[in-house]
Structure formats: structure tokens, C-alpha cells
């Protein structure tokens, strides 16, 4: 049972980088949506040089109309997805209880995606010894 918890914690740490990037992307989408909801975004197509010189009126383009209710639903969907990724990141909290050296090993391996041979050499372990040490520390923690 404890082995399963250790494996789950390590897989959560492997996905932490993706979760961070996804939260940033979703926050950007949310900001764009809020500008649309407030009416602050104007997507006006650029005119060509010939069209700018013309004295005749140019056609206007209206973007696809989205109802306010649909925008609120989209905002709720984005916020719930952000909360989902935050919960996944919070599942990695027990790692904060490890020593700083062990935290650095885990971050080098699973967050910065460094080569495991290089990380083991940097911290004075063999590759197998490093993984054995990390798993034993996580078992003690859980």
C-alpha cells in the first residue's frame, strides 16, 4: 500500500510541470474572456494599403456573437479546470517535508528533466542507489 502511495506521488511530480504550464495558459484564456465580457476587446481587421487610400466606406466585420450566458459558462469551465490543476499540484505537498537535497534531486529528475545518470553523479549516488534512496525517504514520509 505504501509503495502505491510513493509511486502515485512520483507520478504527480512528473506531471507538475505540465500542470504549471496549463494553469498559465488557462489564466491567459480567462483574461481574454474577461476582456470580451467587459467589451474591451476589439478585433478589427487590418486594411490593405489600397483600402486605406480609398475614399469609399470599407465593409465592417463583426466577430461571432457570443451570448453573455455562454461566456459565463465558459468562464466557469476555465476556472474549474484551473482548480483541478491546482489540486493536482497540491498533491505534491508532502515533498516539501523532505530535506532540501532530496527535494533538489526530485526537481532535477522530474521537473527539469535532467538525465538521471547526471543527477546521480552530481549528488554522489549511483543511479540505482539514488532511486533507492528517494523511494526510501518517501516511504518514511508517507
Amino acid at each position: 500500500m505504501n509503495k502505491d502511495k510513493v509511486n502515485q506521488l512520483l507520478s504527480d511530480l512528473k506531471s507538475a510541470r505540465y500542470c504549471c504550464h496549463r494553469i498559465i495558459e488557462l489564466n491567459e484564456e480567462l483574461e481574454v474572456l474577461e476582456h470580451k465580457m467587459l467589451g474591451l476587446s476589439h478585433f478589427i481587421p487590418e486594411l490593405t494599403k489600397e483600402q486605406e487610400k480609398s475614399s469609399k466606406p470599407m465593409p465592417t466585420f463583426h466577430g461571432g456573437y457570443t451570448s453573455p450566458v455562454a461566456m459565463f459558462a465558459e468562464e466557469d469551465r476555465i476556472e474549474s479546470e484551473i482548480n483541478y490543476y491546482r489540486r493536482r499540484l497540491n498533491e505534491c505537498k508532502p515533498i516539501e517535508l523532505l530535506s532540501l537535497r532530496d527535494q533538489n534531486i526530485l526537481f532535477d529528475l522530474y521537473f527539469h528533466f535532467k538525465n538521471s545518470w547526471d543527477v546521480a553523479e552530481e549528488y554522489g549516488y549511483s543511479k540505482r542507489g539514488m532511486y533507492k534512496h528517494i523511494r526510501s525517504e518517501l516511504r518514511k514520509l508517507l
Side-chain angles (χ1 to χ4, degrees):
M1 181 69 176
N2 209 7
K3 187 176 182 180
D4 294 335
K5 288 182 180 180
V6 169
N7 290 336
Q8 182 62 40
L9 184 60
L10 289 175
S11 67
D12 289 341
L13 185 61
K14 288 177 187 177
S15 65
R17 185 175 186 180
Y18 171 77
C19 291
C20 290
H21 287 291
R22 190 67 185 133
I23 287 173
I24 292 169
E25 290 172 356
L26 289 169
N27 280 330
E28 290 172 355
E29 289 178 25
L30 192 60
E31 187 176 335
V32 169
L33 185 63
E34 287 174 356
H35 280 283
K36 283 183 183 179
M37 290 172 67
L38 293 173
L40 299 176
S41 64
H42 299 288
F43 299 108
I44 301 172
E46 294 184 18
L47 300 176
T48 63
K49 291 182 180 181
E50 293 82 21
Q51 290 173 332
E52 288 175 356
K53 293 178 184 177
S54 174
S55 61
K56 297 181 181 178
M58 291 294 118
T60 58
F61 299 94
H62 298 286
Y65 174 74
T66 307
S67 71
V69 175
M71 285 193 270
F72 283 125
E74 180 68 13
E75 182 182 31
D76 287 341
R77 184 197 64 79
I78 291 173
E79 287 176 352
S80 66
E81 195 171 348
I82 288 172
N83 289 333
Y84 167 74
Y85 287 117
R86 284 183 179 157
R87 281 193 305 273
R88 283 185 60 187
L89 285 175
N90 283 337
E91 291 172 358
C92 297
K93 285 278 188 187
I95 292 172
E96 294 176 356
L97 301 175
L98 291 173
S99 69
L100 189 59
R101 179 183 171 97
D102 294 337
Q103 286 180 28
N104 288 337
I105 291 172
L106 286 172
F107 283 122
D108 285 347
L109 286 173
Y110 299 116
F111 200 77
H112 299 296
F113 300 114
K114 289 185 178 178
N115 186 343
S116 57
W117 291 101
D118 296 337
V119 174
E121 184 178 314
E122 181 180 341
Y123 291 99
Y125 292 103
S126 66
K127 182 179 173 183
R128 184 174 174 173
M130 175 184 64
Y131 282 115
K132 188 175 179 180
H133 170 73
I134 290 297
R135 289 185 180 277
S136 70
E137 291 297 316
L138 288 175
R139 269 191 221 105
K140 290 177 193 174
L141 190 67
L142 297 174

